[in-house]
């Protein structure tokens, strides 16, 4: 006799939403969390896009512990001494139902888990799932924990994060590789609220916020950076390819120090007090690096399933975790109704993922990681763009002005890049973003 | 035989503003101190060794129930929470706990709480129960039923060995034991366990700190004798006017003779004893 119908491992957004949905459908659910409270182990570096929450938690924006609503989004190209920023602002994003928000994950994840508990799920914290328990028929029938005693269930939903030991143990990650991972490192810096609003050009006294994504500035390591505003702190960090970081012999905190010292970013963080440093692996391998998400008695969701969209313009994770948690819950509900917890009984999970934004967007952007982490996108094109603008904006009287095409042609020639590479990159970019 | 442990829900990582001194606490970083955890562990060991029931009690708000459930998950039999919203003085806490644990033979507490605790609750509790007390315990061993051999910390690094017999209140340091990890079954059952919530016997206790009007400190006037003599005499005395003195001399001497001169001068000024007699000694 199982202890619960479903055990959800990991009380992040995927796990909490799976537990919330199943509890609302009347199933007994245990939500297992290794940290002392949900969110205590989580790190992220960006914006939470909450549209997927609209149906699950109506008017969620009135209850969620949000720091700032993002009304300014920028993409910065950095070279050693230059920067080019595409800066977009919209006051429409400052009104309900909003577009995206910054939040502290310990607050946000705890709020989501509390919603699951209110719906009837049982939260067990400070408990790590150390392995899978198999039934006589070979199905996953529960999890072993670091406490005395196993936790038995008809179905296990593994939302145990990027380095999912449960999915690996179940053999669902045959091609797991460090090349599919990046390392996110982040500093949280404290500044007075008014100072943050002044430095980022945010309307004073509002809870509007800014999110800047950065290409370049990572000391030659493939990846990128980010800066975003919380209420009275700034988060600044970098996302670095593991292979590049290892080969560079540069420590990740030195990359953040480099970003903070860049002339375009230094005025934003000057005089701020360091409150927190954190690091976390990110599954940026995309669609082609995803594991099998369905096993006998086991589903995999969230970061554990590699569901993090890192596609340049779109850097999203929490919404995909929530979407996959909801799909997993619906699939389990159907399996319970049929009484079939085998892979065949749970396979509708993958169909549901395919039918929603979760896998459709990942499929569409499957080439993004390869494109975005290439040397051309990381270093060469930003350098040409910055040099082009620098020469256009530099007044060289009494020499006559040169046109953009003339300058661009000279820069392109000097860069050593081939037209065919640019055409190929343009074609890939069109496939992803077009 | 009934055993009880007393715990207190406190902020384990309070954030203190260095400028204003204001303290911010977060329930997520709150819990019970190592000393209180050791108290629960000793109570559980006593319960196992002597076949006794173990009650865990706290005086606090509802958030403290998570700590009580942790103790239940570890094996405590019952849990009592005396429901208060505002902190009580130690004496009142002692009285409330004594009333709630009236049937407990041995009560184990942490030696002092982390939130600027003075360690006075265990003695107040012992007083209210009319029981023996042994505080500042750094080592314990269980003897016959209801008897504990304990070692107590004294000043100057000394220790006192005690044999404590029920009824008694013990206050243990955090180093004496580490609370066991609760089994999974215990965690699940404790989530469903009911906690005995009681209202305090003094629902509106007097404020522990009484505010009164205070004036700036003004010490009483000291009576000091006035100066003696005229102003001129006192000025002369200060400046050395009119007194006889040896004017400075400039001598060029061999080192040996110069040393004798210096010694003679120091003797003449009363700084040293007679150099001749000192040489003789």
């Amino acid at each position: 006799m199982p202890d619960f119908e479903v055990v959800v491992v990991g009380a992040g957004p995927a796990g909490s939403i799976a537990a919330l949905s199943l509890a609302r459908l009347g199933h007994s659910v245990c939500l297992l969390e290794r940290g002392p409270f949900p969110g205590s182990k989580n790190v992220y570096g960006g914006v939470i896009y909450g549209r997927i929450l609209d149906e699950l938690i109506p008017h969620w924006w009135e209850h969620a512990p949000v720091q700032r609503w993002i009304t300014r989004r920028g993409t910065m190209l950095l070279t050693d001494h230059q920067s080019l920023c595409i800066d977009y602002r919209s006051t429409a994003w400052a009104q309900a139902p909003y577009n995206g928000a910054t939040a502290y994950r310990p607050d946000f994840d705890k709020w989501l888990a509390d919603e699951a508990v209110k719906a009837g799920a049982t939260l067990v914290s400070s408990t790590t799932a150390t392995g899978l328990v198999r039934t006589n028929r070979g199905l996953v029938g529960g999890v072993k924990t670091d406490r005395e005693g196993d936790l038995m269930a008809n179905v296990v939903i593994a939302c145990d994060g990027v380095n999912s030991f449960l999915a690996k143990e179940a053999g669902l990650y045959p091609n797991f590789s460090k090349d599919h991972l990046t390392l996110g490192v982040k500093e949280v810096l404290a500044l007075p609220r008014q100072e943050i609003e002044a430095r980022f050009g945010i309307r004073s006294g509002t809870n509007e916020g800014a999110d800047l994504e950065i290409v370049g500035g990572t000391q030659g390591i493939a990846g990128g950076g980010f800066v975003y505003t919380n209420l009275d702190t700034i988060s600044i960090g970098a996302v670095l390819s593991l292979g590049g970081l290892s080969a560079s012999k540069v420590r990740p905190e030195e990359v953040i120090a480099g970003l903070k010292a860049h002339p375009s970013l230094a005025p934003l963080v000057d005089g701020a007090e360091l409150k927190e440093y954190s690091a976390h692996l990110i599954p940026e391998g995309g669609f082609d690096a995803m594991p099998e998400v369905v096993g006998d008695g086991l589903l995999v969701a969230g970061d554990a399933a590699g569901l993090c969209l890192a596609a340049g313009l779109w850097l999203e994770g929490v919404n995909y975790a929530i979407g996959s948690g909801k799909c997993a819950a619906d699939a389990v509900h159907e399996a319970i109704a049929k009484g079939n917890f085998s892979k065949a009984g749970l396979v509708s999970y993958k169909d549901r993922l395919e039918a929603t934004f979760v896998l459709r967007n990942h499929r569409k952007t499957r080439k993004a990681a390869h494109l975005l982490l290439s040397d051309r996108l990381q270093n060469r094109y930003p350098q040409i763009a910055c040099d082009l603008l620098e020469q256009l904006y530099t007044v060289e009287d009494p020499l006559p002005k040169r046109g953009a095409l003339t300058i661009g042609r000279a820069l392109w020639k000097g860069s050593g890049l081939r037209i065919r590479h640019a055409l190929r990159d343009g074609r890939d970019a069109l496939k992803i973003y077009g | 035989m009934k055993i009880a442990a007393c715990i207190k829900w406190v902020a384990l990582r309070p954030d203190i503003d260095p400028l204003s001194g204001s303290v911010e606490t977060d329930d997520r970083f709150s819990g019970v101190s190592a000393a209180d955890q050791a108290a629960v562990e000793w109570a559980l060991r006593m319960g196992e060794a002597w076949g006794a029931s173990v009650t865990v009690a706290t005086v606090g708000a509802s958030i403290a129930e998570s700590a009580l459930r942790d103790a239940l998950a570890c094996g405590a039999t019952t849990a009592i929470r005396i429901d208060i919203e505002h902190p009580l003085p130690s004496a009142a806490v002692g009285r409330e706990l004594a009333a709630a644990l009236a049937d407990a033979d041995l009560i184990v507490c942490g030696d002092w709480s982390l939130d600027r605790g003075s360690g006075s609750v265990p003695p107040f509790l012992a007083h209210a129960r009319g029981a023996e007390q042994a505080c500042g315990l750094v080592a314990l061993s269980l003897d016959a039923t209801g008897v504990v051999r304990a070692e107590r910390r004294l000043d100057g690094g000394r220790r006192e060995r005690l044999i404590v017999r029920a009824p008694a209140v013990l206050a243990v340091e955090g180093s004496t034991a580490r609370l066991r990890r609760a089994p999974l079954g215990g965690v699940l059952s404790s989530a469903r366990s009911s906690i005995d919530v009681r209202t305090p016997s003094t629902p509106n206790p007097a404020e522990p700190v009484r505010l009164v009007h205070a004036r700036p400190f003004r010490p009483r006037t000291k009576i000091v004798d006035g100066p003696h003599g005229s102003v001129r005499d006192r000025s002369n005395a200060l400046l050395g006017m009119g007194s006889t003195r040896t004017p400075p001399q400039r001598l060029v001497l061999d080192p040996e003779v110069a040393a004798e001169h210096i010694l003679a001068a120091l003797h003449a000024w009363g700084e040293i004893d007679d150099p001749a007699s000192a040489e003789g000694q």
Side-chain angles (χ1 to χ4, degrees), chain A residues 151-392:
Chain A
L151 195 55
M152 306 305 291
N154 292 326
V155 183
V156 173
I157 304 178
C159 308
D160 52 338
V162 55
N163 201 12
S164 173
F165 291 115
L166 297 186
K168 285 183 195 170
E169 185 183 329
L172 302 181
Y173 248 124
N175 61 345
F176 188 84
S177 163
K178 69 173 173 51
D179 297 332
H180 300 149
L181 302 175
T182 54
L183 179 70
V185 288
K186 182 178 78 167
E187 283 184 7
V188 178
L189 308 169
L191 275 174
R193 181 177 176 170
Q194 296 84 350
E195 190 66 31
I196 289 173
E197 288 162 356
R199 291 185 187 191
F200 284 84
I202 298 167
R203 285 193 295 175
S204 179
T206 66
N207 58 352
E208 296 175 15
D211 169 38
L212 306 177
E213 308 293 346
I214 300 164
V215 178
T218 50
Q219 306 193 15
I221 303 166
F226 57 86
V227 184
Y228 61 86
T229 56
N230 303 308
L231 210 56
D232 52 8
T233 60
I234 297 167
S235 293
I236 182 168
V239 177
L240 307 164
S241 83
L242 278 185
L245 182 65
S246 170
S248 71
K249 306 291 182 196
V250 176
R251 293 190 58 82
E253 61 269 26
E254 291 171 359
V255 176
I256 299 185
L259 282 173
K260 285 159 62 180
H262 192 278
S264 296
L265 298 175
L268 299 178
V269 299
D270 185 37
E273 180 195 355
L274 177 64
K275 300 291 281 186
E276 179 186 307
Y277 175 84
S278 50
H280 206 275
L281 289 176
I282 306 169
E284 287 201 3
F287 186 83
D288 296 325
M290 282 179 196
E292 283 291 319
V293 292
V294 183
D296 286 321
L298 178 71
L299 297 180
V300 188
D303 270 10
L307 291 170
C308 178
L309 190 77
L313 288 179
W314 303 310
L315 299 167
E316 302 163 23
V318 172
N319 45 338
Y320 288 88
I322 291 172
S324 63
K326 177 73 173 79
C327 290
D330 292 342
V332 169
H333 177 59
E334 191 180 307
I336 291 173
K338 291 180 187 166
N340 183 355
F341 307 112
S342 68
K343 188 172 179 178
L346 293 166
V347 77
S348 74
Y349 172 48
K350 190 157 189 186
D351 300 335
R352 289 169 195 277
L353 291 178
E354 292 274 10
T356 60
F357 73 102
V358 178
L359 274 191
R360 288 174 75 168
N361 288 351
H362 274 87
R363 189 185 291 281
K364 180 180 169 66
T365 59
R366 65 195 302 172
K367 302 266 185 207
H370 179 71
L371 174 69
L372 293 167
L373 296 180
S374 69
D375 176 55
R376 291 188 296 280
L377 256 290
Q378 288 279 312
N379 302 308
R380 313 285 282 277
Y381 296 154
Q383 186 68 59
I384 290 172
C386 287
D387 287 348
L388 174 68
L389 284 176
E390 182 162 318
Q391 293 187 31
L392 272 178

Side-chain angles (χ1 to χ4, degrees), chain B:
Chain B
M1 173 61 80
K2 291 186 176 175
I3 310 295
C6 301
I7 58 177
K8 183 179 183 184
W9 181 265
V10 292
L12 299 175
R13 288 160 58 187
D15 194 7
I16 302 168
D17 188 312
L19 289 178
S20 66
S22 64
V23 180
E24 284 186 20
T25 60
D26 188 333
D27 285 340
R28 291 170 303 184
F29 303 112
S30 299
V32 298
S33 65
D36 283 2
Q37 290 186 31
V40 174
E41 177 60 31
W42 276 112
L44 294 173
R45 289 182 192 177
M46 290 172 191
E48 288 164 356
W50 301 332
S53 65
V54 177
T55 300
V56 182
T58 189
V59 178
S62 59
I63 185 71
E65 287 187 8
S66 70
L68 293 176
R69 290 191 192 284
D70 287 346
L72 289 170
C74 288
T77 321
T78 52
I80 299 171
R81 180 173 70 84
I82 297 151
D83 186 29
I84 60 159
E85 292 202 356
H86 304 292
L88 290 177
S90 297
V93 173
R95 281 195 302 274
E96 296 295 342
L97 288 171
L101 303 172
D103 58 348
D105 299 295
L106 267 173
I107 302 173
V108 194
C109 307
D111 56 351
W112 47 273
S113 63
L114 285 180
D115 54 345
R116 301 170 66 196
S118 60
S120 56
V121 167
F124 277 123
L125 172 57
H127 173 72
R129 282 289 314 274
E132 292 185 5
Q133 59 167 307
C135 300
L137 302 182
V138 293
L140 290 90
S141 62
L142 307 185
D143 211 321
T145 302
V147 180
V148 176
R149 290 178 182 274
E151 204 166 286
R152 189 157 77 112
R153 184 190 296 279
L154 296 180
D155 291 343
R158 285 170 296 189
R159 298 283 187 270
E160 184 180 31
R161 287 182 180 160
L162 307 167
I163 296 175
V164 187
R165 292 182 173 80
V169 174
L170 310 174
V172 300
E173 291 195 359
S175 59
T176 55
R178 188 173 183 179
L179 182 59
R180 65 194 67 183
R181 188 154 172 75
L184 195 59
V187 174
L188 294 175
S189 63
S190 71
R192 295 186 287 268
S193 299
S194 63
I195 288 173
D196 181 3
V197 180
R198 301 183 184 182
T199 50
S201 54
T202 50
N204 294 309
E207 283 291 322
V209 176
R210 193 165 56 91
L211 295 178
V212 295
H213 178 69
R215 291 178 301 177
F217 175 63
R218 291 198 180 91
R220 288 171 181 269
T221 309
K222 282 184 183 172
I223 299 172
V224 181
D225 283 344
H228 298 285
S230 67
V231 173
R232 181 174 178 172
D233 290 342
R234 297 203 306 273
S235 300
N236 285 344
L238 284 171
L239 298 172
M241 300 280 286
S243 59
T244 56
R245 67 185 187 101
T246 308
Q249 289 178 294
R250 184 170 182 275
L251 302 173
V252 180
L253 301 168
D254 291 334
E256 192 176 342
V257 182
E260 286 174 4
H261 266 273
I262 291 169
L263 290 171
L266 290 171
H267 174 60
W269 297 337
E271 299 291 340
I272 60 172
D273 295 333
D274 182 6
S277 64
E279 194 177 322
Q281 290 170 2

